[in-house]
Amino acid sequence: EDGNYTGALLKAYTRKAFEAASHVTVVSDRMKNAMVQHNLKNQFSILRNVVDTETFVPKKKIREAGTLQLLHVSMLVDREKNITGILNVMAALKNETGITLKITGDGPERKTHEALATQLGILNKSVFFSGYADTAGVAQAMQEADALLMFSHFEGMPVTIIEAQACGLPVIATKTGAIPEMVTANQGIVVACGDEKALAKAILDLRTNYDSYNSETIRNHAVSQYAFEAVATQLQKIYDPLLT
């Protein structure tokens, strides 16, 4: 999806790696289907990404009715994460009372994004850049937020989404990579990549219908799929027949 799988040499080495492998693991059916379309054939198994569900846990908080505290976590690379699109949408919603966005993370493009937020009149009003955070800091940011927001052009299986779900948060994200498999209707809202109007609507809909999302249900699903024990069980089922 990111356009990087090009060139005869890369494709030749990838085919050789597949031919030499006893088994191939993928994070989603979408990834498997893409590989098959590129004539990369083998036995495939889904092996999901893993998160520390003892660090990423829900925290009880009081949410004021009619408000929505959004969180975005990334390295702020616009080509992938579409921070520009997020800021455009937050600018379109700047007259909506109670909708705020914290952007956690750092990278070379941060100053550019802050300049755009200033130009749009939303910096430190409805949009706040909090900078780099370690694992504990990201977990705390998620515990303080109401929902995770991603507007990526392309993704694999974003660990950030899993971490947010482990904290019981609903997610707004785009239809790319494994996200449609990760975010069901009772876990959040998925919109088309680059569709700013759809994203704005999703944010407003989430604010209106926030109480329809059950934090405990979201958390329990994440633990069952992405906790260390769950992924270890998946991995053992793959390895055992290969080692006998």
Side-chain angles (χ1 to χ4, degrees):
E1 289 177 316
D2 64 5
N4 285 334
Y5 188 63
T6 59
L9 187 62
L10 173 62
K11 292 183 177 183
Y13 273 107
T14 306
R15 283 194 297 272
K16 285 184 178 294
F18 267 71
E19 291 167 2
S22 299
H23 203 88
V24 176
T25 66
V26 293
V27 295
S28 67
D29 283 325
R30 187 168 185 170
M31 180 179 285
K32 170 189 171 181
N33 294 336
M35 289 178 172
V36 171
Q37 289 173 6
H38 282 288
N39 202 32
L40 299 171
K41 299 177 181 178
N42 205 302
Q43 288 183 304
F44 293 90
S45 292
I46 300 291
L47 184 65
R48 298 176 178 89
N49 286 335
V50 63
V51 300
D52 183 353
T53 54
E54 297 302 314
T55 297
F56 291 90
V57 296
K59 183 178 180 180
K60 289 186 178 180
K61 57 183 180 292
I62 298 174
R63 174 178 167 268
E64 185 179 344
T67 65
L68 187 66
Q69 297 180 39
L70 298 167
L71 174 69
H72 174 86
V73 180
S74 76
M75 295 289 289
L76 313 185
V77 179
D78 205 45
R79 179 177 179 269
E80 178 182 358
K81 303 300 183 181
N82 193 13
I83 307 300
T84 297
I86 291 175
L87 295 177
N88 287 338
V89 170
M90 289 303 296
L93 297 175
K94 63 183 176 182
N95 293 325
E96 292 287 340
T97 304
I99 297 178
T100 60
L101 169 67
K102 177 191 283 188
I103 298 179
T104 295
D106 207 349
E109 298 178 40
R110 177 180 170 183
K111 289 185 178 179
T112 300
H113 300 316
E114 288 179 327
L116 176 58
T118 299
Q119 179 183 337
L120 294 170
I122 55 177
L123 184 66
N124 297 328
K125 295 179 181 177
S126 60
V127 174
F128 305 86
F129 288 80
S130 61
Y132 168 80
D134 60 13
T135 300
V138 172
Q140 181 179 348
M142 290 182 172
Q143 290 164 348
E144 294 171 351
D146 295 322
L148 182 76
L149 172 63
M150 297 183 69
F151 197 41
S152 303
H153 291 303
F154 50 86
E155 287 285 354
M157 172 172 268
V159 171
T160 304
I161 287 181
I162 304 172
E163 292 169 343
Q165 291 176 330
C167 291
L169 298 185
V171 174
I172 299 175
T174 44
K175 295 177 183 177
T176 181
I179 293 174
E181 299 171 39
M182 300 170 71
V183 183
T184 61
N186 63 352
Q187 296 169 312
I189 303 172
V190 178
V191 301
C193 296
D195 191 337
E196 295 181 6
K197 289 184 179 180
L199 180 61
K201 182 178 184 302
I203 292 171
L204 294 175
D205 287 347
L206 183 63
R207 182 181 63 172
T208 300
N209 302 311
Y210 190 82
D211 291 339
S212 67
Y213 296 94
N214 186 291
S215 175
E216 185 176 356
T217 300
I218 294 172
R219 157 78 178 176
N220 289 343
H221 178 77
V223 171
S224 71
Q225 299 295 312
Y226 311 115
F228 291 139
E229 295 81 1
V231 177
T233 299
Q234 297 171 25
L235 191 58
Q236 186 170 3
K237 288 179 180 179
I238 294 168
Y239 267 105
D240 281 350
L242 297 175
L243 297 175
T244 57

